[in-house]
């Protein structure tokens, strides 16, 4: 005796509802607007520094631009090379965006002269019109780190003689701090790149 099979018939409207429900569960399919990045502070730097080309760099250069700031030194034996390789990813991701700038402060200005920074920048293959590597009076550099709420100080016991934060600080067009990112971690820098895109779209 042949087995009997029953065909399940699902009404078309019910099928549409099931598909809509499953689609809503898929990641990345939400149509809700993305929350804006929080405002974590503001930056008002009273100092003028000198970049790798010997040009004066003040806060006015970054007015109207989205920028990323960090602190490093060229002879750093620990995290700085990794930080710079990750910052280079940001530089390359926005190669066609004149309104995305990078600002790296040397915390060892006695060693990191304009000539040293120029050589360092050349080895990275970067241009000073988009990525400023600056030097200046040590106190002014350390005060500036405080403005960004990042650590920077001398410490004889630390590798290379200095302690500094490994974070990147994201600043919007109006000088507001909008995020901090681990400059040694690719995943965190991936998020930084996405957040820069969000800030560029802010009105």
């Amino acid at each position: 005796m042949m087995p009997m099979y029953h065909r399940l018939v699902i009404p078309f409207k019910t099928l549409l509802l099931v598909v809509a429900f499953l689609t809503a569960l898929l990641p990345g399919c939400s149509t809700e607007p993305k929350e804006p990045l929080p405002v974590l502070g503001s930056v008002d730097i009273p100092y003028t520094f000198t970049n790798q080309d010997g040009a004066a760099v003040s806060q006015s250069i970054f007015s109207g631009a989205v920028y990323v700031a960090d602190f490093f030194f060229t002879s750093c034996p620990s995290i700085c090379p990794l930080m710079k390789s990750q910052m280079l990813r940001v530089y390359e991701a926005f190669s066609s965006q004149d309104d995305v700038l990078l600002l790296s402060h040397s915390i060892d200005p006695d060693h990191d002269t304009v000539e040293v920074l120029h050589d360092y920048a050349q080895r990275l293959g970067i241009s000073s019109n988009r990525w400023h590597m600056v030097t200046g009076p040590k106190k002014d550099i350390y005060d500036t780190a405080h403005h960004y709420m990042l650590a920077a100080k001398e410490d004889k016991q630390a590798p290379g003689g200095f302690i500094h934060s490994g974070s990147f600080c994201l600043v919007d067009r109006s000088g507001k701090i909008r995020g901090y990112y681990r400059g040694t971690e690719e995943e965190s820098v991936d998020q930084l790149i996405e957040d820069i895109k969000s800030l560029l779209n802010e009105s």
Side-chain angles (χ1 to χ4, degrees):
M1 185 175 193
M2 296 292 291
M4 294 181 64
Y5 295 94
H6 297 280
R7 194 171 83 177
L8 179 63
V9 178
I10 301 176
F12 183 66
K13 287 185 178 179
T14 303
L15 183 60
L16 287 179
L17 288 173
V18 171
V19 171
F21 174 75
L22 292 175
T23 300
L25 295 178
L26 292 175
C29 291
S30 172
T31 57
E32 292 187 14
K34 186 178 179 181
E35 287 291 320
L37 296 173
V39 174
L40 305 175
S42 61
V43 180
D44 183 17
I45 308 299
Y47 310 113
T48 297
F49 298 116
T50 305
N51 74 6
Q52 66 264 39
D53 288 342
V57 174
S58 65
Q59 195 67 29
S60 62
I61 287 178
F62 304 93
S63 178
V66 173
Y67 75 96
V68 182
D70 76 333
F71 293 81
F72 82 114
F73 58 110
T74 62
S75 60
C76 175
S78 55
I79 63 174
C80 294
L82 186 53
M83 288 174 65
K84 287 297 157 278
S85 69
Q86 290 298 323
M87 189 73 96
L88 191 59
R89 291 181 56 222
V90 180
Y91 176 86
E92 292 170 345
F94 298 95
S95 59
S96 61
Q97 296 279 161
D98 292 336
D99 52 353
V100 176
L101 302 176
L102 308 178
L103 175 59
S104 293
H105 308 76
S106 169
I107 62 172
D108 184 13
D110 292 339
H111 175 269
D112 290 342
T113 61
V114 169
E115 292 76 19
V116 170
L117 291 177
H118 182 79
D119 179 66
Y120 192 87
Q122 278 198 321
R123 282 185 277 125
L124 284 175
I126 65 171
S127 168
S128 61
N129 66 337
R130 291 189 47 243
W131 186 349
H132 298 275
M133 294 190 162
V134 299
T135 188
K138 190 176 293 185
K139 182 181 183 304
D140 294 351
I141 293 285
Y142 293 174
D143 286 348
T144 296
H146 181 74
H147 280 274
Y148 287 106
M149 295 184 282
L150 295 175
K153 67 176 184 177
E154 289 185 84
D155 186 333
K156 302 285 187 191
Q157 306 304 315
F162 296 89
I163 289 178
H164 66 97
S165 171
S167 294
F168 296 158
C169 179
L170 176 60
V171 184
D172 67 16
R173 298 181 191 277
S174 59
K176 300 292 191 298
I177 296 173
R178 305 298 292 274
Y180 292 94
Y181 308 82
R182 293 180 295 277
T184 58
E185 298 182 15
E186 184 172 343
E187 184 176 356
S188 188
V189 175
D190 287 343
Q191 186 61 55
L192 168 59
I193 290 171
E194 291 306 310
D195 288 349
I196 291 173
K197 293 175 183 176
S198 295
L199 289 187
L200 290 174
N201 291 326
E202 279 191 351
S203 56

